[in-house]
Amino acid sequence: MIIEFGYFLDGVPWSDRPALGTLRVGPQGLLDVLNTRVARSYEPAPTATRIAAYLTALREAIEAGWEAAAWYEPSLNSDPWGTAERLLFLRDSAVRSGWDCREAGRPGSKPVPVRLAALAAAEAHFDKAAYPGAADALVLLEWELRESPAGNLGIDRIEVREDTSQLPDLWPTIFDHLRARGIPVERVTEPAGAGSLTIVSCADEGDAAIQAARLIAALDEKAGDRAGARAGDTPGEPAGEDAPTMVATRPTQLLDEALADRGLPALGVAGPEAGQPRLNVLGLLLRLTDSTPVDVYLLDELLWSSQVAGRPLLPKRVRSRLHRALAEEPSVLAEEPNGTRTAWGKALDDLAEDGGEHAVAAAQVLELLDIAEGGESVEARARMVAQWLADRVVDVRTWASERNLPGPERESIEAQCEQILTQIRVFVAALNIIGSPDAAMARRLAFSFAAAPLTPVCEVGAPRVVTDPGSLSGSGPVVWWGAADPGVEVRDLWEDDEESYLAERGARIIPASARIKWETEQRLAALSGHPVTAFVPRKIAGEPASAHPLLAYLAKKEGESVSAGLKAATVDSEELAGSQWRLGEAAIPLIEVGLRRPVYPEELERPRIDDGTPESLEDIYPWYIFSDTEILDAQEERMKTRAEKAGITVPTEDRWSRITQLPAGLEPPTRLTSHGTALIPSRLSYSQLEKFLGCTMCWVLEYPLRLRSVGLDDIPAGNRMVGTAVHAIIERIIASGEIPRTAAEVGDAIDAHFLTCISRYASPLQRGGSSLLLEDVRQRVRDSLTAFFVELARAGITITGAEQKFTKTLSLPSKRWKGRELDYTGYRDVDAEIDGRPIVIDVKWSNSTSWHRKLITEGEAIQLAGYSWSREVDGQPPLTGYFLAKHGIFVSADPELPGSPATPGRTAEDLWDEVIWSLEQRLDLLAVGIVPATPGQIRRLVTEAGLDTKPLLQPDFGILNLSVKNPCTYNVTRHLCGAEGTL
C-alpha cells in the first residue's frame, strides 16, 4: 500500500494518479488506517455525549472535594453546558499534544497551574474508554507503535507533502515510529505550474455566484465537450488535468443555484448553519415548547422553514392555512371563553374538514402545542419533542420508500433521515447522562450536534471541490469561491506557565503565531502553481467584507518558503457585462433575461424634453410614455380644466429645467407587457389603492400576479399587533350597546375585554419577560380610550357603529373608460353622528403625533377621503378625523370634532377627486401594457439624490401628481421591481 499524506487532505476523495493500493489521506484518515493496521478498534463517541459525560465528571470532581475544582465551579453553576464544552476542548488539546492529564493528580506531583489542575481533577472521574475522542485515539496509537515496533503494517511507502518534523500534536513522533518499523517516509513536492492570480470584485455573494457560475461554464466548454465522458465517470475518479478545481471556503448554496440555472451540477458544500431551522429542527422545537404561551413567531418559523431531508415537516396547505391564521391573529387560542372560534380555531376546523394528510398534520401541530402547554419538566418535554421529531423523520423515510423515486434520490433521503435519527438518539443518550437539564442546557445540547450540517454529496461530473486551499494538487485552474476574510482571531491556547509545565512533561506545544505561519506557508505553496481566479464579495449578508489575507500574500513575495509572488489583476464584476462575457482566456455568450430599467420599444420611444415651456402632456409627465392619442387628448383636456379651476399657470422655463433635467440613473424601473387589460382591477380595498397609487408595479406583482413573500413580517408585532387588539377592544365595547361616558365606565368596559382581546390578538405580550410591557399597554389603553369616549360624549357625538364594512361602486368618470365600475371596499373603524350629520373616525396606534396631522395639512389623507366618500349622503360628506389611540388625542380638519384641528391642504372631496384622477392615470398606462413604478418611487429616488421635491409635488403640473409617501418601505416585492438592489 502507498499512502499520500498531507495535513490538509482529510475529506479530499480524489487523486491525480489513482492506482490500486494507493490512498490519499490527511491526519484523521491516516489515524483510521493505522488503527486498523495495528488491530485496534476505534469508534469515537458523539460530541454531545462526550460533553455530557465530561459535565458529569466535572460535577463529581466538585462533590469529591478536589481543591482545583473550585476554579471552575462558579462558571459551571452559571453555564454548565458551555463550561463543560470549553474544558473538554482544553482537555483534548492537552492530550493531543502528549500530556497525560492523570499524572498531575498523583501523590507527590509538582505544583500544577490552576487550569491544568482542574483538568486533572476532572480526568480522575472521566471515563475516556467509554467516551473516547480523536485525541485519545491518537495517544493510544502512539503508545501502540512505541510498545510494539516490529512490522511495517503492510505499508510500502508514505509520501508526505510537508516536513513531518513541523506537523502539530503527536504526528512527528508517530512518523518517527513508522520509520523505526522500516516504512519509507518520503517528502514529495507537487510540480509547479504557471501561476497567476485574478481577483474578481463583486457587489455581494449573489453577484459573485453569477460570475463564478459563468466562469465554471466557460472553463467547462474550454476543456471540450466532456458531457459524454462525465456520464461514465464514477465518484472519486479524477477529472482531467484541464478541469477546474473549486476551493470553496464559504457555503456554495448561492453558487449551486447559479450553476443549476446553467444546467451544471451542484458543488454541495454546506456551512455551519446550526441556527437555521431546516438544519436544527430539534433546537427550534425545544425553544418553541419552552415558551408559555407559545411563541407564535417561532411557530411560524417552524411551519415555513423546517425541513427533514429536504422535505417540509408539514404539507403546504397546512403551512399556508396556519400561517394565514397567525398573520390575522397572532395567537394559538382556538376559541374564546364564550365559544367564539378564533382565526387559529377556524384554520384547524378547515384542515379537519379536509381530512387525510391535512387533518393528520394539523393533529401533529396540536400534539406539539400540547407538549408546550403540558407543564412537564424540561427533561420530559425534551424527550417528547425528540420523539415527535423522530416520528416525523420516519414519516419522511416511509414516504421516500413508498414513492417511485430514482434510486440515488431515495437513497439520499433515507441516508439523511438515518443521520437525523442518529442525532436524536445521541440527544436522548446525552439526556440519560445529564439527568435533569434546565431549558438552556437542553437547547445547547441540541445545538451541539446540529452545528454540523448534513454531509453534502457533490454531484457526479461537478468540478472537484476542496474546502481548504492547502488541499490543492496538480497545476490546473483554480476557482476560489468565497475568498473573503473569515475574520477569525486566533490566540494562544495556553498561558506561559502552563506552556512551560506541559513542555517539561514532554508535551509538544506550538504557539499560535508559529502554527498560523506554518499553515499559511503550506496553503500558499499549494496555491502558487495554479491559475487562480478568486471571487471576493464586497458585502456578505449586508455587511462589508474584505479579501482573504492569502490573496495579498499570493501577490507579494515574502521569502523563499512562501510563494514567489503571482502576477495579480483585479477585475470589477460590472466590467464583465456585455454580449460576450470574458474573463481572462475564458469566454461565454450572455443571454440577458428580462428588461432592465428603463427599456422602451421603438414604437414607444421616450419623448424628448425641449427647452422652454412644455406644450404637451408628454413634456409635463416625462416619466410616463403615451401611445394612445385618445388617452393623451382626454388627459390633457382634464388637466386644462383643473388648471383653470385652480388658477394655476404654466410653469416657467427655469422651473421646468429644474424639474425635468434630473441626474442619470434616477429613472424608476418600468416593465412593458404585450397587453395590460387583464391587469385592470375590478375591486380595490384601501390598502390596495394605497399600493396602486404608490407603486403600480409592486401592486401588479403582489395582487394580480399573487407574488408574495412569506416571512415573519406577515405576523403582526409591535404597534401593528397592539393596534389590532385596541381596535378589537373598541369594537367590543361599542357592540355591547352600552357606550361608556365616564372614566369609571370606560375602566370597567376595558377590564371586561382587555385580557380576552390580548390573548387573541396580541398573545406575545403574555409571554414571560413581557409583564411590564403588558401593564404599560393596559394603562395606555385605559388612558387613551377614556379620552376617546369621554370627549366624544362631552362633544355631544353619538357612536353608531364600529368596524363597519362597506362596498361602494366607483364609476370612472372619463369618457375613454365609458363609466367602467370598480368596487371600493373596506372597514370604517368608528361611525358616529352629531345633529344628524355623519362622522367617521379612523383609529391609529402610532408612535408619531405629527404624521397624520401632516397628511391632513398636506392634503394626502387618502384614507379619510375614501371613508368620507363611502359615507357621503346626498352629496354631503361626513366629518372625518383620526384618533391617535397611543396618545389619546384627536386630529381632524373639522372643528366640530374634539381635539386640536389641523388646517386641511384640500377638502376631502377635492382629495378624492384627485385620487380618481391619479387612479385613471395609472389605469391608462396599464391599459396599453405599461407597468410603472411611479410616482412614490420617484419621490424616494429624487429625495435620496438630494434634490428639491417641492416642484415635483404640484397637484396638476408636478411630475409626482398624487402619491403615497415611502411606498416601498413595507412592500415585500421591492427587490423584484428594482426599488432596492439590481435586477
Side-chain angles (χ1 to χ4, degrees):
M1 175 192 293
I2 299 175
I3 296 178
E4 301 175 34
F5 174 86
Y7 183 72
F8 300 97
L9 294 184
D10 275 327
V12 179
W14 46 266
S15 175
D16 288 326
R17 48 186 187 85
L20 292 176
T22 300
L23 289 178
R24 171 170 282 187
V25 296
Q28 184 61 50
L30 185 57
L31 177 64
D32 294 338
V33 171
L34 294 178
N35 267 309
T36 301
R37 292 293 169 153
V38 299
R40 177 175 291 279
S41 62
Y42 158 63
E43 183 64 33
T47 302
T49 55
R50 293 192 74 232
I51 296 174
Y54 202 70
L55 173 59
T56 302
L58 292 171
R59 287 173 171 168
E60 291 177 354
I62 295 174
E63 295 171 357
W66 284 77
E67 183 179 349
W71 171 76
Y72 61 74
E73 185 175 7
S75 179
L76 194 72
N77 293 334
S78 175
D79 181 10
W81 189 264
T83 302
E85 186 177 25
R86 178 61 181 174
L87 292 181
L88 179 61
F89 171 75
L90 290 175
R91 179 259 180 199
D92 286 347
S93 299
V95 169
R96 194 164 46 241
S97 67
W99 180 52
D100 185 353
C101 297
R102 296 169 300 176
E103 64 89 17
R106 291 171 184 157
S109 60
K110 295 181 180 180
V112 187
V114 61
R115 287 202 301 178
L116 297 179
L119 295 179
E123 192 72 11
H125 299 272
F126 181 54
D127 189 354
K128 64 182 180 182
Y131 304 100
D136 301 300
L138 189 66
V139 171
L140 290 175
L141 174 64
E142 190 276 332
W143 179 86
E144 185 74 36
L145 293 175
R146 172 167 33 94
E147 294 300 318
S148 55
N152 67 0
L153 306 178
I155 299 175
D156 299 315
R157 183 172 73 253
I158 301 179
E159 300 176 353
V160 296
R161 297 177 59 164
E162 299 89 9
D163 182 354
T164 57
S165 65
Q166 301 297 314
L167 294 173
D169 304 327
L170 289 174
W171 284 108
T173 304
I174 289 176
F175 275 106
D176 288 342
H177 292 326
L178 293 175
R179 291 187 182 96
R181 285 173 172 261
I183 301 175
V185 179
E186 302 174 358
R187 176 81 182 273
V188 296
T189 304
E190 291 283 345
S196 64
L197 174 61
T198 302
I199 300 174
V200 183
S201 177
C202 304
D204 50 33
E205 282 198 300
D207 183 21
I210 293 173
Q211 307 302 337
R214 287 171 176 169
L215 178 59
I216 294 172
L219 291 175
D220 193 58
E221 281 193 4
K222 187 171 179 289
D225 185 9
R226 296 154 34 87
R230 280 203 296 259
D233 286 350
T234 57
E237 277 195 312
E241 293 185 1
D242 56 348
T245 299
M246 293 294 306
V247 176
T249 49
R250 283 190 58 77
T252 61
Q253 180 181 1
L254 289 175
L255 178 55
D256 289 343
E257 293 174 1
L259 290 171
D261 290 341
R262 288 158 179 79
L264 296 174
L267 305 180
V269 176
E273 300 162 305
Q276 293 192 11
R278 64 187 181 87
L279 297 179
N280 190 15
V281 181
L282 182 57
L284 178 61
L285 290 173
L286 290 173
R287 290 167 57 202
L288 177 65
T289 54
D290 187 43
S291 60
T292 305
V294 170
D295 189 327
V296 293
Y297 306 107
L298 287 178
L299 177 58
D300 194 59
E301 192 174 356
L302 176 73
L303 293 175
W304 282 106
S305 303
S306 298
Q307 298 179 353
V308 171
R311 284 188 55 79
L313 281 177
L314 303 169
K316 182 178 180 180
R317 156 75 173 160
V318 176
R319 290 181 285 127
S320 178
R321 186 65 185 88
L322 295 180
H323 171 80
R324 290 201 309 272
L326 293 177
E328 183 179 348
E329 298 172 7
S331 166
V332 293
L333 182 70
E335 65 180 24
E336 293 187 7
N338 62 6
T340 303
R341 296 296 280 178
T342 64
W344 180 261
K346 292 175 183 177
L348 294 175
D349 294 342
D350 291 344
L351 295 173
E353 290 180 4
D354 289 349
E357 66 172 354
H358 295 163
V360 172
Q364 292 168 353
V365 174
L366 288 177
E367 178 187 351
L368 187 63
L369 298 183
D370 288 341
I371 295 174
E373 299 171 355
E376 291 86 355
S377 66
V378 171
E379 180 184 1
R381 286 203 308 270
R383 292 181 184 278
M384 287 189 286
V385 164
Q387 184 60 53
W388 187 92
L389 179 58
D391 291 342
R392 304 291 78 73
V393 176
V394 171
D395 290 343
V396 172
R397 188 172 61 182
T398 303
W399 173 89
S401 63
E402 292 176 350
R403 297 300 191 277
N404 188 23
L405 299 177
E409 182 179 353
R410 185 185 67 255
E411 292 170 3
S412 175
I413 292 176
E414 291 176 347
Q416 292 182 59
C417 287
E418 185 56 37
Q419 186 173 354
I420 298 174
L421 289 173
T422 299
Q423 291 177 340
I424 294 174
R425 296 187 195 104
V426 170
F427 175 77
V428 174
L431 285 178
N432 295 335
I433 297 171
I434 295 173
S436 300
D438 57 21
M441 187 187 300
R443 291 196 297 270
R444 291 289 295 274
L445 172 58
F447 274 89
S448 68
F449 66 73
L454 301 178
T455 305
V457 179
C458 182
E459 293 186 29
V460 175
R464 49 194 182 186
V465 184
V466 298
T467 57
D468 193 297
S471 304
L472 290 167
S473 64
S475 58
V478 169
V479 180
W480 188 350
W481 164 257
D485 189 348
V488 178
E489 183 179 358
V490 180
R491 299 179 180 178
D492 285 325
L493 191 61
W494 306 107
E495 301 293 340
D496 291 342
D497 59 334
E498 296 170 337
E499 190 172 322
S500 299
Y501 180 89
L502 292 170
E504 289 176 3
R505 281 146 187 82
R508 187 165 180 270
I509 305 299
I510 302 176
S513 58
R515 181 162 182 163
I516 291 174
K517 182 177 183 296
W518 179 80
E519 291 181 356
T520 300
E521 290 177 350
Q522 307 311 313
R523 292 184 173 113
L524 287 172
L527 277 166
S528 59
H530 300 265
V532 179
T533 303
F535 292 87
V536 181
R538 295 190 289 273
K539 281 189 176 183
I540 296 178
E543 297 296 328
S546 56
H548 198 288
L550 280 176
L551 296 178
Y553 282 107
L554 275 176
K556 181 179 179 182
K557 185 175 182 180
E558 291 289 341
E560 292 299 329
S561 62
V562 187
S563 166
L566 301 179
K567 183 178 181 181
T570 300
V571 179
D572 194 290
S573 62
E574 296 179 0
E575 301 174 13
L576 302 175
S579 60
Q580 183 79 5
W581 185 90
R582 183 177 296 277
L583 181 59
E585 297 181 358
I588 195 169
L590 286 185
I591 301 176
E592 293 298 332
V593 179
L595 296 172
R596 298 281 173 163
R597 56 176 175 177
V599 178
Y600 306 98
E602 294 180 0
E603 63 272 17
L604 292 178
E605 182 179 359
R606 180 170 180 168
R608 299 181 179 275
I609 301 171
D610 299 326
D611 294 335
T613 303
E615 297 181 354
S616 70
L617 199 65
E618 292 165 306
D619 291 331
I620 296 177
Y621 292 95
W623 301 102
Y624 298 141
I625 310 166
F626 300 94
S627 62
D628 190 296
T629 304
E630 181 182 354
I631 293 177
L632 185 62
D633 291 343
Q635 288 186 332
E636 190 166 11
E637 180 182 352
R638 166 91 175 206
M639 180 204 69
K640 290 178 180 178
T641 301
R642 291 183 54 79
E644 292 174 0
K645 178 180 177 182
I648 298 175
T649 58
V650 177
T652 63
E653 176 181 349
D654 176 67
R655 179 181 168 198
W656 272 105
S657 175
R658 291 169 55 201
I659 291 178
T660 58
Q661 294 180 7
L662 298 178
L666 281 182
E667 293 88 348
T670 302
R671 292 293 180 271
L672 303 172
T673 63
S674 58
H675 57 83
T677 53
L679 300 177
I680 302 300
S682 60
R683 176 184 178 277
L684 284 175
S685 63
Y686 168 70
S687 59
Q688 289 194 40
L689 177 65
E690 184 180 39
K691 283 186 176 137
F692 192 84
L693 297 178
C695 178
T696 310
M697 184 183 300
C698 291
W699 176 87
V700 168
L701 291 174
E702 188 169 350
Y703 290 100
L705 302 184
R706 299 181 180 274
L707 189 60
R708 301 188 181 186
S709 171
V710 175
L712 295 183
D713 289 345
D714 292 342
I715 311 300
N719 283 344
R720 185 159 64 106
M721 175 183 69
V722 176
T724 302
V726 172
H727 277 77
I729 293 172
I730 294 175
E731 180 185 5
R732 295 183 183 209
I733 291 176
I734 294 174
S736 69
E738 299 178 0
I739 309 299
R741 302 176 64 86
T742 66
E745 292 175 352
V746 173
D748 292 341
I750 291 175
D751 290 341
H753 300 288
F754 183 80
L755 286 180
T756 301
C757 291
I758 291 296
S759 298
R760 179 168 180 176
Y761 300 100
S763 67
L765 292 180
Q766 296 179 308
R767 294 187 57 227
S770 300
S771 57
L772 291 179
L773 178 58
L774 178 62
E775 189 57 34
D776 177 67
V777 170
R778 183 197 298 268
Q779 192 58 48
R780 281 179 178 269
V781 170
R782 180 184 292 271
D783 293 343
S784 65
L785 295 194
T786 297
F788 178 78
F789 287 107
V790 171
E791 290 194 31
L792 288 180
R794 187 180 297 127
I797 295 174
T798 302
I799 297 176
T800 59
E803 295 298 321
Q804 297 295 304
K805 184 176 182 179
F806 66 87
T807 299
K808 190 171 181 179
T809 301
L810 173 63
S811 297
L812 300 179
S814 298
K815 293 180 181 179
R816 63 188 177 281
W817 286 103
K818 300 178 182 178
R820 180 157 182 165
E821 296 180 345
L822 307 176
D823 286 336
Y824 184 64
T825 68
Y827 290 84
R828 294 188 297 266
D829 289 350
V830 177
D831 281 356
E833 63 179 27
I834 181 171
D835 298 331
R837 186 173 182 183
I839 298 172
V840 178
I841 300 173
D842 189 28
V843 180
K844 299 293 184 184
W845 185 271
S846 170
N847 291 333
S848 174
T849 59
S850 61
W851 173 254
H852 293 90
R853 180 183 299 274
K854 190 175 181 181
L855 289 179
I856 293 175
T857 58
E858 293 187 357
E860 295 187 352
I862 300 174
Q863 191 168 12
L864 290 184
Y867 288 160
S868 176
W869 174 77
S870 73
R871 209 175 174 209
E872 190 178 81
V873 179
D874 297 330
Q876 182 182 20
L879 305 176
T880 58
Y882 294 113
F883 177 68
L884 306 183
K886 196 170 187 177
H887 309 281
I889 61 176
F890 288 88
V891 177
S892 172
D894 297 309
E896 293 92 337
L897 294 180
S900 175
T903 303
R906 55 184 130 185
T907 66
E909 183 182 13
D910 285 344
L911 178 55
W912 189 248
D913 192 34
E914 189 68 23
V915 168
I916 303 304
W917 157 240
S918 300
L919 175 63
E920 284 191 334
Q921 189 182 55
R922 288 141 180 85
L923 291 174
D924 291 341
L925 299 177
L926 279 184
V928 295
I930 301 173
V931 186
T934 55
Q937 170 68 4
I938 302 171
R939 183 202 292 260
R940 187 179 71 85
L941 293 172
V942 171
T943 302
E944 291 178 356
L947 299 176
D948 183 12
T949 60
K950 290 182 179 179
L952 306 177
L953 301 176
Q954 300 304 311
D956 287 286
F957 292 99
I959 295 174
L960 296 185
N961 203 329
L962 178 68
S963 68
V964 177
K965 295 181 179 179
N966 306 320
C968 299
T969 303
Y970 304 105
N971 200 307
V972 298
T973 61
R974 58 188 179 274
H975 293 284
L976 298 174
C977 71
E980 291 188 10
T982 56
L983 299 179

